[in-house]
């Protein structure tokens, strides 16, 4: 049986690996990047819905930060898909979240 943190870590690791691999391929990897960005957007939407639930036990400040990151992810994904940048910031955010999940520090 895996812990909820382990499941979250695996989800972030999978989508971050996909974004990183596609981003390394430049323009030829754009279809794969678009698919990975869509998957990342869904992951962040699920997280946002979870922290928006009134029964969520996370501290209010952490919940607000997760909501902010979800909104940023949505906006940045739209910008990237429109040709306005790369996925570096999204990869960095996901990597930081994974580090926090791995160390057990949910606020990281």
């Amino acid at each position: 049986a895996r812990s909820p943190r382990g499941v979250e870590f695996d989800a972030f690791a999978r989508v971050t690996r996909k974004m990183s691999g596609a981003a390394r391929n430049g323009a030829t990897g754009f279809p794969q990047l678009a698919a990975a960005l869509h998957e990342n957007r869904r992951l962040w939407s699920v997280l946002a819905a979870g922290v928006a639930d009134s029964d969520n036990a996370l501290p209010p400040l952490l919940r607000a930060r997760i909501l902010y990151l979800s909104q940023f992810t949505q906006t940045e994904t739209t910008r990237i898909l429109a040709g306005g940048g790369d996925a570096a910031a999204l990869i960095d955010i996901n990597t930081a979240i994974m580090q926090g999940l791995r160390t057990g520090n949910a606020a990281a």
Side-chain angles (χ1 to χ4, degrees):
R2 294 177 8 182
S3 71
R5 280 182 192 259
V7 172
E8 290 172 346
F9 180 90
D10 290 346
F12 273 104
R14 183 178 57 252
V15 73
T16 304
R17 222 177 2 257
K18 289 179 182 179
M19 286 191 300
S20 295
R24 279 192 300 273
N25 292 329
T28 61
F30 190 78
Q32 292 81 17
L33 180 60
L37 290 170
H38 177 67
E39 187 175 335
N40 190 57
R41 183 183 271 177
R42 286 187 311 192
L43 174 60
W44 278 98
S45 293
V46 169
L47 289 172
V51 298
D53 187 329
S54 62
D55 292 334
N56 189 293
L58 290 175
L61 182 57
L62 180 56
R63 291 170 62 184
R65 288 177 177 168
I66 292 170
L67 284 171
Y68 169 78
L69 288 173
S70 177
Q71 291 171 343
F72 176 82
T73 298
Q74 302 297 329
T75 302
E76 187 68 4
T77 297
T78 299
R79 190 174 76 80
I80 295 165
L81 291 173
D86 60 42
L90 298 178
I91 292 167
D92 288 347
I93 289 168
N94 284 11
T95 300
I97 295 293
M98 289 173 4
Q99 289 171 346
L101 290 168
R102 181 167 288 193
T103 63
N105 180 1

